[in-house]
Amino acid sequence: MTPLDFVVSLALISVAAGVLGSLIGLGGGVVIVPVLTLLYHVDIRLAIGASIVSVIATSSGAAAAYVRERMTNLRAGMFLEIATTTGAVSGAYLTTILPARFLFVFFGLVLAYSSFATFRRRHVAEPLSVSNDRIANYFDLHGSYYDPAEDREISYKVVGTKLGLVLMYVAGLVSALLGIGSGALKVPAMDSAMHLPMKVSSATSNFMIGVTAAASAGVYFIRGQIDPIIAAPVAAGVLLGATFGARVLGRVTSKTVRLVFVIVLVVISLEMLQKGIFP
Amino acid sequence: MTDMHGADRSPRQPPSANPPAEGLARSGQRRQLSPEEAAQMEEKIRKVELAISLVLRIGVVVSVAVISVGLGLMFAHHGAYVPIRGQFSYRKLTSRSTPFPHSFSSLGHAIARGEGRGIVVLGVLILILTPVLRVAVGVLSFVYEKDPPMTIVTLYVLAVLIGSFFLAGV
């Protein structure tokens, strides 16, 4: 396989990763890392560097559209970034203390639980109309969005901010340590713990993952994990896919988004457990 | 907008279901704004949304353009990369020993020599900096919305992000 074949085929796969990632609020690393390591036999360190690029590309590509369409909860997203960025920076220092295998198992179990929690909420469509969460009220994290699938404006209240912050800190930590999975924890944190509508959770996760990834991207660049021949097709493909995928979210129902998310979460969770138990 | 810290609660919430959080409620429970004030606030928020969306869009378009130019140059300079059934394997470019710029000085040299891979890395760095720029715009927009708590929140995030680059030794 020559470099041209590699670039073209990887770009096409990246488009698919971008569409999927933008729809369910993940960074596409779930597709990119296994494709690079298993299909192309690329070193895991370089694959993780490419995954970080993919996360930022999905985020910027999709968020540009979601923010414009008012699907993103800007205030909640920016508020929760306190926890994700702090987690990401502290994660860079914990790498030496925590063994990766333990992390994979821990993260796999957390994701298995959150896929179950998300699945249990699959019929929940109506958001909360009251909240006595002090933090959410103080920072005015509540919001509303126009849902094209239901053709109406839906306003919602946010609860469980403290639990949300804890989960976001873990998401940032894990994303810095493993280079993956930041959206997989962010979406359940917002959907299940904080009761944001599923589509808003996905759009807001998309908005946030770029910042979380950027907080650890400097380290990956300096360590020489960002290989141009891999990063170029991934960045271009994912951006194209995410821009296209962002047009889809509005039209599908929250239930569909949740189900797609649960399926992907189960896959990631198994992948993590496998890495932790049979490395 | 002078009374952003009014402690009145939003009229949408029934008092029985939501006991007032004393000393905490503020603009979040925005006091009932007059229709003109509400319209002004709405317009401000809309402007902020469009500004953030624009920053992201510009970052995306510029980085894709730079990456494409770099990729084009990589193939233009190395004829062996191009053929579909060629002998040159991509693995020579994706092994751990492959040389490519991963510091600012080596990146500068690569770009100065017009190397495609240097230009691709530059495009990737622009992509990485886009969210940072977005947070900076967030800080400015909360100053513009006259929202001190959220301004502090976004400033903290910006500081952590910038700090992370320094901690990485960039």
Side-chain angles (χ1 to χ4, degrees):
Chain A
M1 200 180 221
T2 62
L4 183 65
D5 307 335
F6 174 75
V7 165
V8 171
S9 57
L10 185 56
L12 291 176
I13 295 170
S14 301
V15 172
V19 172
L20 184 69
S22 61
L23 184 65
I24 55 177
L26 307 184
V30 54
V31 178
I32 297 295
V33 173
V35 161
L36 281 174
T37 52
L38 302 177
L39 203 62
Y40 295 104
H41 305 284
V42 167
D43 187 87
I44 181 73
R45 293 174 64 256
L46 295 180
I48 288 176
S51 165
I52 283 282
V53 171
S54 152
V55 171
I56 300 178
T58 314
S59 176
S60 297
Y66 290 147
V67 171
R68 217 167 139 94
E69 290 159 18
R70 298 176 44 240
M71 196 77 86
T72 310
N73 185 329
L74 282 180
R75 301 179 72 93
M78 290 182 175
F79 176 76
L80 293 169
E81 277 164 7
I82 295 177
T84 56
T85 48
T86 309
V89 170
S90 42
Y93 288 89
L94 288 175
T95 349
T96 47
I97 304 167
L98 293 172
R101 277 186 72 176
F102 162 78
L103 278 166
F104 279 124
V105 173
F106 169 74
F107 191 47
L109 292 175
V110 171
L111 289 189
Y113 173 75
S114 45
S115 61
F116 169 72
T118 310
F119 184 73
R120 219 175 34 181
R121 277 174 54 79
R122 68 196 179 282
H123 298 299
V124 181
E126 277 309 308
L128 296 178
S129 57
V130 289
S131 162
N132 45 24
D133 184 301
R134 286 177 164 223
I135 303 173
N137 288 337
Y138 181 74
F139 287 97
D140 191 19
L141 305 183
H142 316 294
S144 73
Y145 76 104
Y146 174 74
D147 193 324
E150 297 189 35
D151 191 25
R152 66 188 175 108
E153 182 82 13
I154 297 175
S155 59
Y156 54 89
K157 296 284 177 187
V158 174
V159 293
T161 321
K162 275 182 203 156
L163 180 59
L165 282 173
V166 172
L167 290 172
M168 289 297 173
Y169 178 81
V170 176
L173 201 69
V174 168
S175 127
L177 288 169
L178 304 179
I180 28 178
S182 86
L185 261 180
K186 287 187 177 91
V187 175
M190 287 185 274
D191 174 53
S192 303
M194 300 176 67
H195 287 245
L196 270 82
M198 185 61 190
K199 287 189 199 180
V200 177
S201 303
S202 170
T204 308
S205 170
N206 260 310
F207 178 71
M208 296 169 65
I209 54 179
V211 167
T212 316
S216 47
V219 180
Y220 288 97
F221 171 64
I222 292 295
R223 287 187 197 146
Q225 287 180 252
I226 296 179
D227 184 349
I229 195 86
I230 305 173
V234 167
V238 165
L239 281 173
L240 189 70
T243 310
F244 175 76
R247 291 161 184 260
V248 181
L249 182 69
R251 290 188 228 139
V252 294
T253 62
S254 281
K255 194 177 169 181
T256 312
V257 179
R258 267 206 195 101
L259 285 178
V260 175
F261 181 75
V262 167
I263 294 167
V264 174
L265 218 55
V266 168
V267 172
I268 309 177
S269 151
L270 292 175
E271 210 179 292
M272 298 288 122
L273 288 172
Q274 183 263 324
K275 275 184 190 152
I277 299 167
F278 314 104
Chain B
M1 278 330 99
T2 49
D3 188 16
M4 288 289 288
H5 292 272
D8 306 14
R9 284 178 300 113
S10 159
R12 276 174 297 179
Q13 294 168 332
S16 57
N18 186 21
E22 289 301 334
L24 275 177
R26 48 147 214 128
S27 63
Q29 310 296 343
R30 280 194 183 102
R31 71 197 167 81
Q32 201 158 14
L33 300 173
S34 70
E36 303 90 71
E37 281 179 317
Q40 263 181 0
M41 198 63 206
E42 197 106 311
E43 201 183 309
K44 273 191 173 183
I45 292 171
R46 189 68 197 142
K47 272 189 196 163
V48 165
E49 285 170 345
L50 292 177
I52 288 176
S53 173
L54 188 68
V55 168
L56 292 170
R57 208 165 290 248
I58 291 172
V60 162
V61 170
V62 172
S63 68
V64 164
V66 174
I67 289 172
S68 308
V69 169
L71 203 55
L73 283 176
M74 274 177 98
F75 284 103
H77 290 168
H78 303 275
Y81 290 7
V82 184
I84 293 178
R85 288 183 202 287
Q87 296 298 308
F88 190 93
S89 169
Y90 73 93
R91 293 210 199 172
K92 286 183 186 156
L93 296 172
T94 61
S95 79
R96 289 181 79 157
S97 53
T98 309
F100 52 80
H102 55 89
S103 69
F104 280 110
S105 57
S106 61
L107 178 62
H109 291 308
I111 294 170
R113 283 195 298 269
E115 281 179 17
R117 58 190 182 191
I119 294 169
V120 168
V121 171
L122 178 70
V124 172
L125 287 183
I126 294 171
L127 187 66
I128 292 173
L129 285 177
T130 304
V132 183
L133 197 62
R134 191 271 281 163
V135 174
V137 171
V139 175
L140 294 180
S141 62
F142 286 118
V143 171
Y144 173 69
E145 282 183 31
K146 297 201 180 83
D147 190 335
M150 283 303 289
T151 309
I152 293 167
V153 163
T154 41
L155 265 178
Y156 172 82
V157 173
L158 186 63
V160 172
L161 274 180
I162 294 172
S164 79
F165 286 103
F166 282 107
L167 288 174
V170 170

